[in-house]
Amino acid sequence: MAKTRLEKMEENRAKLIAAARKAFAEKGYAASSMDDLTAQAGLTRGALYHNFGDKRGLLAAVVDQIDTGLAERARLKAAAETTKWGALMAEGEAYIEMALEPEVQRIVLLDGPAFLGDPSQWPSQNACLQETHEAVRELIAEGIMKPVDAAAAARLLTGAALNAALWIAADNNPDARLPKAIEAFRTLASGFLSEPLQRMIK
């Protein structure tokens, strides 16, 4: 059965993203040529322009795919926790830990901000922020977190996790930075807990 035009477009898009993801991880965004990417995918430059506009648009699609996958993996870790606060912390820490992965370091945390701008403005990060906002809102409503502005707290918590990951990725010895980042993230986050709970975890 012949593929529809839409199916063919989706297939071409997937091929280009896969080829770019491999090239960006191995060579970096700047050193990856569009001719090599399209040849690897068995397509033309026209297909790249049609699907992504330009090379930067292709990078955005790759970053979105990886970042969305990271968020899903973090959610799975959070789901294993028995409390809502534990889930929130597990999700933030999981994202920080993923900064040790070479592909994540190079594409999402180094090339992404350098060529796509502020990560907090990426669609994938905004989706994560909305989920954190909802979790924070529930924790405040249940008295687990102090009655602060939920939107502000969510932005600070996601920003802390993201910046910790960026800090780790930029270091020559990221493994040494990880435990420091996790400890600082937990300490910072605990300041949002209601007073009785703060005393319990100290």
Side-chain angles (χ1 to χ4, degrees):
M1 184 176 177
K3 294 178 182 176
T4 66
R5 177 178 171 80
L6 181 60
E7 288 173 334
K8 188 65 177 175
M9 285 176 62
E10 287 300 316
E11 183 181 278
N12 288 346
R13 183 180 175 85
K15 284 180 180 178
L16 286 164
I17 290 175
R21 186 166 174 168
K22 183 174 185 293
F24 295 162
E26 292 175 354
K27 305 175 184 177
Y29 172 77
S32 299
S33 77
M34 288 195 292
D35 288 335
D36 288 344
L37 289 174
T38 52
Q40 184 69 31
L43 298 167
T44 64
R45 272 200 182 205
L48 189 153
Y49 293 136
H50 179 73
N51 283 280
F52 304 102
D54 55 18
K55 184 182 171 187
R56 185 174 178 275
L58 180 56
L59 173 63
V62 171
V63 167
D64 187 73
Q65 184 184 76
I66 297 173
D67 214 17
T68 299
L70 294 179
E72 180 57 33
R73 287 163 57 193
R75 279 193 291 271
L76 289 174
K77 287 200 172 186
E81 294 293 321
T82 56
T83 66
K84 289 182 180 179
W85 177 256
L88 184 64
M89 290 299 94
E91 196 162 347
E93 289 175 19
Y95 193 85
I96 296 170
E97 288 167 357
M98 291 173 202
L100 293 182
E101 299 175 16
E103 181 186 56
V104 175
Q105 282 182 15
R106 186 155 203 176
I107 299 176
V108 178
L109 300 173
L110 297 176
D111 283 349
F115 295 99
L116 299 177
D118 183 3
S120 69
Q121 302 303 311
W122 299 347
S124 54
Q125 286 292 321
N126 280 321
C128 181
L129 176 61
Q130 291 306 312
E131 290 181 11
T132 302
H133 185 190
E134 180 59 25
V136 167
R137 190 189 62 76
E138 291 178 7
L139 287 163
I140 291 171
E142 294 173 17
I144 295 170
M145 285 179 63
K146 294 174 182 175
V148 296
D149 184 85
R155 187 165 289 277
L156 288 171
L157 287 168
T158 56
L162 172 61
N163 278 281
L166 291 168
W167 183 61
I168 290 167
D171 193 62
N172 291 328
N173 187 9
D175 292 275
R177 278 193 173 177
L178 178 63
K180 298 173 185 177
I182 295 289
E183 181 184 18
F185 176 73
R186 276 196 169 272
T187 301
L188 182 149
S190 68
F192 285 111
L193 287 169
S194 60
E195 298 296 342
L197 288 171
Q198 275 189 332
R199 290 193 291 271
M200 285 175 61
I201 66 171
K202 286 181 179 179

